Amino acid sequence: MVLFSLLYVAFSAAIAAAASLQRVTNFGNNPTGINMHIYVPDRVAADPAIIVALHPCGGNGPQWFSGTRLPSYADSNGFILIYPETPNMSNCWDVHSPASLTHGSGGDAAGIISMVTYTLQTYDGDAARVYVMGFSSGGMMTNVMAGSYPEVFEAGAAYSGTAHACFAGAPSATPFSPNQTCAQGLSHTPEEWGNLVRNSYPGYTGRRPRMQIWHGMADTLVRPQCASEALKQWSNVLGESFTRNATGVPSGQWTQSLYGDGTRLQGFFGQGVGHEAQINEDTLLQFFGILS
């Protein structure tokens, strides 16, 4: 009986100490009042990598925490996950305002950068291994963060999103907005798209984030043309030209589009895939450099 009691106490203590998603307040400059959740695994790697994971419209941090298998990969690889959350604009990210689209000017983007800074300082994170990913509105915001704060992010992965600054000038960026030109496939030349990124941080000449762009070919909410436009944009910004397609990568219904040697820019188009979060964590984390 004594042995059983000791085992029960030890088991209960282990459960109590197990990592879980935590809310963080007072993380720094937060002009739009967004929220922060963080997942720190029980065994954090030395100088851990950090991934910012951005939820879709109508979502929140805890829902997106449960929406992918990234937490289990964090457990086995020791990286930290940040789950920002916007309570504004029907829980859609601010991808249209001049503040978010201009480096150092505010908006939701500034609050997300504060979360990254807080996490780097609190957990001795590796500033050279900060990444961003998201789906739908989160995919749109992934491109915004990569464009407005290139010095912060090593790489990004946008799922069912739109190009950086695609919603610029629109009154909002929700599915209920009267202006859906962007989501229906607004077209620019590669140079025009590239200038929108460059103009978000005038004078910046440093490294730009490597990018993955994912989209379902049957998406009628955010048209697949949006992914083609984002690839045009990053191809111009990164100076990488299209080289070839690889069918069946990472699985049967997907086709991978490689730019250059594929280390800096990749596209993925899914046949029969609608507006849904199909996250292939292995392919994502290999591109980020977290998995070999």
Side-chain angles (χ1 to χ4, degrees), residues 26-108:
N26 300 319
F27 51 82
N29 179 41
N30 186 20
T32 55
I34 61 177
N35 302 317
M36 176 181 181
H37 293 83
I38 192 168
Y39 182 72
V40 182
D42 291 328
R43 291 188 294 275
V44 179
D47 304 316
I50 296 167
I51 298 179
V52 177
L54 297 164
H55 66 71
C57 273
N60 58 46
Q63 286 176 346
W64 193 227
F65 172 77
S66 301
T68 76
R69 295 182 296 152
L70 285 175
S72 67
Y73 283 80
D75 289 335
S76 56
N77 292 276
F79 60 83
I80 294 172
L81 287 159
I82 300 172
Y83 288 90
E85 172 186 290
T86 174
N88 309 315
M89 211 168 55
S90 301
N91 305 97
C92 299
W93 293 103
D94 161 26
V95 298
H96 66 290
S97 78
S100 272
L101 294 172
T102 306
H103 184 272
S105 294
D108 289 350

Side-chain angles (χ1 to χ4, degrees), residues 186-209:
L186 176 66
S187 181
H188 287 303
T189 67
E191 180 75 13
E192 289 169 339
W193 278 125
N195 285 339
L196 289 171
V197 170
R198 289 181 283 269
N199 291 340
S200 287
Y201 193 176
Y204 179 75
T205 58
R207 173 201 53 78
R208 297 280 181 178

